[in-house]
């Protein structure tokens, strides 16, 4: 059973700031602590504030969550996302002798844009000694191709 609750404190989004531009595919969403919340629902949408095309919909007990590239997929251009949070509160109702879950309203949606292609590092390539080579030298000299960065920093 879910019922609306009297909101005595404000649940608000903290980071990233509304209309932020980011250049990473790993991002931490952060919102205010909200007592006596037992968990938070987090939603991310790629279409807009209707939240009809969710790319992320998860419940967590923490007041932040880190997203990876599996969520923040980026094409060749800029990609805009909208996100929001609401709190779940489970309390004991002595009248029914049951636990009752209530929910807050959703926060106003914030948006952020993943700008261009986010930078990713490409591992260095070992040049010498060659793969599967053997040596009796206990101090071999290693050489490698410098690592590269793909995308914008």
């Amino acid at each position: 059973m879910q019922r609306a609750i009297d909101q005595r404190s404000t649940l608000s989004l903290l980071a990233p700031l509304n209309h932020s531009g980011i250049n990473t595919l790993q991002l931490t969403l952060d919102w205010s602590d909200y007592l006596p919340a037992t968990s938070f629902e987090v939603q991310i949408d790629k279409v807009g504030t209707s939240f009809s095309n969710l790319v992320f919909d998860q419940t967590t007990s923490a007041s932040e969550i880190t997203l990876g590239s599996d969520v923040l997929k980026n094409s060749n251009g800029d990609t805009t996302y909208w996100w929001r949070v609401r709190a779940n509160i489970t309390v004991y109702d002595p009248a029914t002798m049951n636990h009752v879950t209530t929910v807050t309203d959703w926060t106003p949606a914030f948006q952020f844009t993943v700008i261009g292609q986010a930078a990713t590092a490409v591992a260095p390539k070992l040049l010498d000694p060659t793969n599967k080579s053997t040596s009796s030298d206990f101090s071999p000299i290693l050489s490698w191709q410098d690592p590269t960065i793909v995308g914008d920093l």
Side-chain angles (χ1 to χ4, degrees), residues 6-107:
D6 177 21
Q7 292 180 272
R8 293 189 175 98
S9 64
T10 303
L11 179 62
S12 57
L13 305 180
L14 302 176
L17 296 174
N18 200 15
H19 302 287
S20 292
I22 62 167
N23 64 352
T24 181
L25 293 181
Q26 184 168 353
L27 175 68
T28 299
L29 302 178
D30 188 19
W31 53 92
S32 60
D33 291 332
Y34 187 85
L35 297 175
T38 51
S39 63
F40 299 92
E41 294 176 55
V42 183
Q43 291 185 336
I44 302 174
D45 194 284
K46 277 179 75 171
V47 175
T49 58
S50 68
F51 289 88
S52 60
N53 187 22
L54 297 176
V55 295
F56 186 82
D57 187 9
Q58 188 170 319
T59 300
T60 179
S61 60
S63 62
E64 69 177 28
I65 195 163
T66 300
L67 310 170
S69 60
D70 56 323
V71 175
L72 302 177
K73 295 177 181 138
N74 193 10
S75 58
N76 291 329
D78 298 346
T79 305
T80 299
Y81 298 89
W82 288 261
W83 70 289
R84 66 183 181 177
V85 174
R86 73 177 174 185
N88 296 316
I89 301 167
T90 302
V91 295
Y92 181 74
D93 183 355
T96 62
M97 297 192 322
N98 290 314
H99 285 89
V100 178
T101 299
T102 58
V103 295
T104 65
D105 292 332
W106 289 104
T107 59

Side-chain angles (χ1 to χ4, degrees), residues 127-145:
L127 299 174
D128 192 47
T130 58
N131 193 25
K132 298 183 181 181
S133 63
T134 59
S135 172
S136 59
D137 186 356
F138 291 109
S139 299
I141 296 175
L142 304 176
S143 69
W144 57 89
Q145 183 179 11

